[in-house]
Amino acid sequence: MTTARDADTRERIIQAAARLLADAGGEPVSTRAVCQAAGVGAPTLYHHFGDKRGLLDAVAAYGFERYLSGKRAQEPTGDPVEDLRRGWDLHVEFGRTNPAFYALMYGGGHTPPAAREAQALLLGLIEAVARAGRLRVPVEAAARMVGAASVGVTLDLIKDPEAGAEVSARTREAVLAAIALPADGSAGGEPGGSTTAARADALRAALAADPSPALTAAESALLGEWLERLATAR
């Protein structure tokens, strides 16, 4: 009973903080206001969350769970670049419709633990592009480019909602053109192309997802080093 009651109290505090943050329009929310809204004393709040940073991390985790429920439900289209495009749009739309959560999730210079699954999902989308032989740059670099650009665009749209979806779409397409080859595998007019590097990335991603039992650990490490050199020699 005590465990269930504690869980209910913790959830009530998180929900109260989330409502206050959503209504505050970017203004700070005090722990006293959260306690009043949740009907608890300050010792109860600090018992569950340690301090205000712990409470904000918990609210951010709640926001991430709402965000990730949509990401997990995203069905593959059969085109990994289109999947990445849809993932970008879902990310931006979540931020625009949940600005208080998004500011906690991405805008404070502090990355809550709940961000790890979101980053893993992004890496999964990028790795799928790599496995298809369509990635122009290494997986980690592509993930950084997509992550930085999508977060920047979303924060900008939160500050200026009148900017509209065109800003997001233009930035999205510019980033996708920079990291991914067209579906026909052509290099999009780049001198010398980048298909060798893309194929190296594809093999690296495939072996990471399904290591070959035909290779020893030392052989796999050596092959990985060679593929990394090919992938980065662009």
Side-chain angles (χ1 to χ4, degrees):
M1 287 288 288
T2 301
T3 301
R5 187 161 58 247
D6 280 351
D8 288 344
T9 301
R10 187 177 191 278
E11 179 70 14
R12 190 166 75 251
I13 296 170
I14 290 173
Q15 294 281 359
R19 285 195 303 273
L20 289 172
L21 285 165
D23 293 341
E27 295 299 317
V29 172
S30 69
T31 54
R32 177 181 295 181
V34 174
C35 289
Q36 289 176 343
V40 301
T44 300
L45 185 148
Y46 292 122
H47 164 73
H48 283 285
F49 303 103
D51 55 17
K52 187 174 183 179
R53 179 73 265 168
L55 172 61
L56 293 177
D57 280 350
V59 177
Y62 175 79
F64 267 111
E65 186 54 39
R66 291 179 59 178
Y67 167 65
L68 290 169
S69 65
K71 295 285 280 186
R72 296 184 195 114
Q74 185 180 340
E75 293 288 339
T77 64
D79 179 344
V81 176
E82 180 61 24
D83 292 341
L84 192 54
R85 180 177 286 110
R86 292 187 179 192
W88 173 295
D89 290 344
L90 189 152
H91 178 99
V92 172
E93 183 60 23
F94 178 86
R96 293 183 70 179
T97 54
N98 299 275
F101 283 128
Y102 195 87
L104 274 181
M105 292 160 62
Y106 291 105
H110 171 79
T111 304
R116 293 185 190 128
E117 185 180 349
Q119 181 64 18
L121 288 173
L122 173 58
L123 280 171
L125 290 172
I126 300 289
E127 286 166 353
V129 178
R131 288 194 298 274
R134 293 179 59 189
L135 200 61
R136 293 182 187 271
V137 299
V139 169
E140 294 78 10
R144 279 185 172 274
M145 291 167 69
V146 173
S150 61
V151 170
V153 163
T154 307
L155 291 173
D156 187 62
L157 292 179
I158 288 172
K159 286 189 296 183
D160 182 14
E162 300 303 316
E166 184 180 2
V167 171
S168 175
R170 285 179 177 272
T171 307
R172 179 195 67 209
E173 293 309 308
V175 173
L176 291 180
I179 68 168
L181 291 164
D184 63 7
S186 68
E190 289 186 0
S194 59
T195 54
T196 298
R199 288 167 183 154
D201 263 332
L203 185 52
R204 272 206 311 165
L207 288 173
D210 184 21
S212 172
L215 300 176
T216 66
E219 289 168 340
S220 293
L222 182 58
L223 178 58
E225 181 181 339
W226 289 342
L227 291 173
E228 183 175 3
R229 286 166 61 186
L230 287 170
T232 54
R234 299 171 188 265

